[in-house]
Amino acid sequence: LRPMRVVLASASPARLEVLRRAGVAADVIVSGVDEDAVEAPSPSALTLRLARLKADAVAARVGATDEAVLIIGCDSLLEFDGKAQGKPADAETAIRRWRAMRGRSGVLHTGHRLIIKTARGGVRAAEAVAHTTVHFADLSDSEINAYVASGEPLWVAGAFTVDGLGGPFVTGIEGDHHNVVGLSLPLLRRLLHELGVDWTSLWGPPQVLR
């Protein structure tokens, strides 16, 4: 039997790569949700609300099929000094953030919402937030300027990556490191279990990883 169709409601190539390396092939449908227009009482709640909006928007666009479809919606934010830090608006903002974060720690929240649309028209959903503490190196001003000049911090929540140029600037992680990339595989497995789906049933044919 071929695995259930999986749709990732995110434009993030990092999330898609996490799934691929875990043996899950996914289609991508971008939700089009205006993230800046959404509010919530806390950074954690905001990630879950955004994940819900993204998954629900894509689920509404996935029409009736003769197979079950799993839609995965995610959103990540770094909480630092009690405030949500999404993608920085510009280089100056990214530099200010890194000067504040260096030598300190933040919490990366990722909201997850899973929706399964069955072939008979049924819908099941589960959702939760994963939390990972990230410890940052004490960067020099020249390192911060060079990193921001690379452009990478402008495209990611919290202005850093752990799987790219920003990796050497993260000294430690408490929790699931996949969550820092943007999608927690252990949480995804648990939510699937709540929906009656075994994680291994999503595996497709063996893939050649590069």
Side-chain angles (χ1 to χ4, degrees):
L1 295 176
R2 62 179 178 175
M4 178 187 301
R5 182 191 177 198
V6 178
V7 174
L8 178 62
S10 171
S12 167
R15 290 191 180 109
L16 185 63
E17 183 66 7
V18 168
L19 287 173
R20 188 180 78 89
R21 288 189 171 273
V24 180
D27 300 324
V28 173
I29 300 179
V30 180
S31 68
V33 170
D34 181 2
E35 300 181 21
D36 294 333
V38 181
E39 298 180 352
S42 69
S44 177
L46 181 56
T47 64
L48 187 57
R49 181 168 294 178
L50 286 167
R52 187 182 301 139
L53 289 171
K54 292 178 179 181
D56 291 354
V58 170
R61 290 159 55 187
V62 175
T65 66
D66 58 358
E67 61 180 349
V69 180
L70 168 66
I71 297 101
I72 302 173
C74 294
D75 191 84
S76 299
L77 289 171
L78 178 71
E79 181 176 358
F80 185 77
D81 282 343
K83 297 180 180 180
Q85 306 286 350
K87 299 174 184 176
D90 49 42
E92 291 75 13
T93 302
I95 288 173
R96 285 198 303 271
R97 285 192 190 177
W98 264 104
R99 287 179 176 174
M101 295 190 308
R102 58 183 170 189
R104 300 177 64 193
S105 304
V107 179
L108 197 291
H109 305 285
T110 301
H112 298 65
R113 178 167 172 83
L114 275 57
I115 299 174
I116 293 179
K117 298 186 72 171
T118 68
R120 296 183 179 181
V123 177
R124 305 195 304 276
E127 59 186 31
V129 181
H131 316 276
T132 303
T133 299
V134 183
H135 302 286
F136 299 107
D138 189 5
L139 275 65
S140 65
D141 285 348
S142 62
E143 286 177 309
I144 292 174
N145 293 337
Y147 184 40
V148 172
S150 75
E152 183 180 87
L154 303 179
W155 298 100
V156 289
F160 79 99
T161 68
V162 72
D163 58 339
L165 297 178
F169 307 139
V170 176
T171 61
I173 290 174
E174 298 175 44
D176 174 27
H177 73 281
H178 295 105
N179 186 51
V180 183
V181 181
L183 189 154
S184 172
L185 293 177
L187 178 57
L188 190 60
R189 173 182 168 273
R190 178 169 67 80
L191 293 176
L192 282 170
H193 181 74
E194 292 179 13
L195 296 174
V197 176
D198 289 334
W199 168 257
T200 55
S201 70
L202 300 184
W203 288 346
Q207 303 178 48
V208 177
L209 301 181
R210 297 179 181 177

